Amino acid sequence: AQTVTQSQPEMSVQEAETVTLSCTYDTSESDYYLFWYKQPPSRQMILVIRQEAYKQQNATENRFSVNFQKAAKSFSLKISDSQLGDAAMYFCAYRSAEGGGADGLTFGKGTHLIIQP
Amino acid sequence: ETGVTQTPRHLVMGMTNKKSLKCEQHLGHNAMYWYKQSAKKPLELMFVYNFKEQTENNSVPSRFSPECPNSSHLFLHLHTLQPEDSALYLCASSLAGTGGAGAEKLFFGSGTQLSVL
């Protein structure tokens, strides 16, 4: 079974600064997907960024980028130019690429990101 | 707005009550999921439906009973719940099994916050 570990229960960053959230995972599979989801107080899980394991290039979405280290099974999220609207719980998630994608995601416990004005 | 709608937003029920949670998606997806989110714990996958057929049941107690009448609607019927079942219940959907680009992404609703007294 796959596991996802987020070792930082809470992180704090000054507005406009850069912050990195950590995530490690454990799997015996070679083909999979990794995600970062954001959950603001509205409770809706919003997809921030996704990474395909067979692609070496790190994914980027505007101010959000990842550092994907497949051998180390590490998948960190970097948020540049932090904004007040970035404050939320951030969840790292794993999904197998096998089985036609009909299974769900395995999530970490989450990191609570605080943005200091 | 992700196109996945959950009702009600909040629910308080006694241990002897029977209630149902509803999820509806207008994204043309064929797979739907129930997750349980408890404090300090990772999101737990409860049920998966793929083309209206249940494909996964992660050892969920029988007091939770899912129903998927069509690909757009998903219900979670609740009866004789326990206080430890109090949690946020999240519904999600995806284009599982199609192999198309982005098929692995899950889109979530805002959840139902359930309190069992």
Side-chain angles (χ1 to χ4, degrees):
Chain A
Q2 296 83 20
T3 59
V4 177
T5 302
Q6 293 179 252
S7 58
Q8 306 154 317
E10 187 172 282
M11 291 283 285
S12 181
V13 64
Q14 290 288 129
E15 194 176 2
E17 297 293 306
T18 296
V19 63
T20 298
L21 308 184
S22 302
C23 172
T24 58
Y25 58 95
D26 188 26
T27 184
S28 58
E29 299 175 334
S30 59
D31 196 11
Y32 49 86
Y33 300 94
L34 295 166
F35 306 85
W36 279 98
Y37 277 86
K38 167 185 176 181
Q39 188 179 39
S42 66
R43 305 181 326 207
Q44 191 158 51
M45 298 282 276
I46 301 166
L47 178 63
V48 175
I49 198 166
R50 66 183 268 276
Q51 175 79 40
E52 299 171 51
Y54 58 87
K55 287 189 176 180
Q56 289 189 329
Q57 186 173 7
N58 289 325
T60 61
E61 288 286 344
N62 300 314
R63 297 182 294 107
F64 299 87
S65 61
V66 298
N67 183 3
F68 174 48
Q69 301 290 326
K70 191 172 184 179
K73 297 180 182 175
S74 171
F75 183 61
S76 61
L77 174 69
K78 185 172 82 171
I79 306 174
S80 304
D81 185 26
S82 299
Q83 300 176 1
L84 294 177
D86 295 333
M89 284 292 292
Y90 285 81
F91 293 92
C92 180
Y94 171 102
R95 184 171 194 176
S96 172
E98 300 171 7
D103 54 351
L105 301 176
T106 300
F107 285 87
K109 288 187 177 181
T111 296
H112 181 209
L113 179 63
I114 299 168
I115 310 295
Q116 304 277 9
Chain B
E1 181 59 49
T2 64
V4 181
T5 304
Q6 288 188 246
T7 54
R9 291 265 300 171
H10 302 273
L11 179 62
V12 179
M13 59 187 290
M15 290 190 285
T16 58
N17 291 158
K18 288 186 179 181
K19 296 286 184 183
S20 295
L21 309 185
K22 180 182 177 182
C23 178
E24 189 172 354
Q25 58 95 3
H26 304 283
L27 300 170
H29 291 167
N30 59 284
M32 297 188 78
Y33 312 78
W34 279 117
Y35 277 88
K36 176 183 179 182
Q37 185 176 21
S38 305
K40 310 295 184 185
K41 294 175 68 175
L43 275 77
E44 302 170 60
L45 179 64
M46 299 175 71
F47 301 103
V48 180
Y49 277 84
N50 193 12
F51 289 102
K52 301 188 298 177
E53 298 296 321
Q54 185 174 314
T55 58
E56 191 153 337
N57 173 344
N58 274 358
S59 303
V60 180
S62 59
R63 57 186 183 269
F64 293 92
S65 175
E67 179 189 2
C68 189
N70 54 62
S71 294
S72 299
H73 294 86
L74 183 66
F75 296 90
L76 187 62
H77 303 300
L78 316 171
H79 65 97
T80 60
L81 293 192
Q82 305 298 310
E84 61 264 29
D85 296 323
S86 298
L88 179 67
Y89 289 84
L90 289 164
C91 173
S93 68
S94 75
L95 273 174
T98 64
E104 73 290 349
K105 298 178 188 176
L106 263 62
F107 293 80
F108 286 84
S110 296
T112 295
Q113 185 66 54
L114 174 67
S115 297
V116 181
L117 305 178

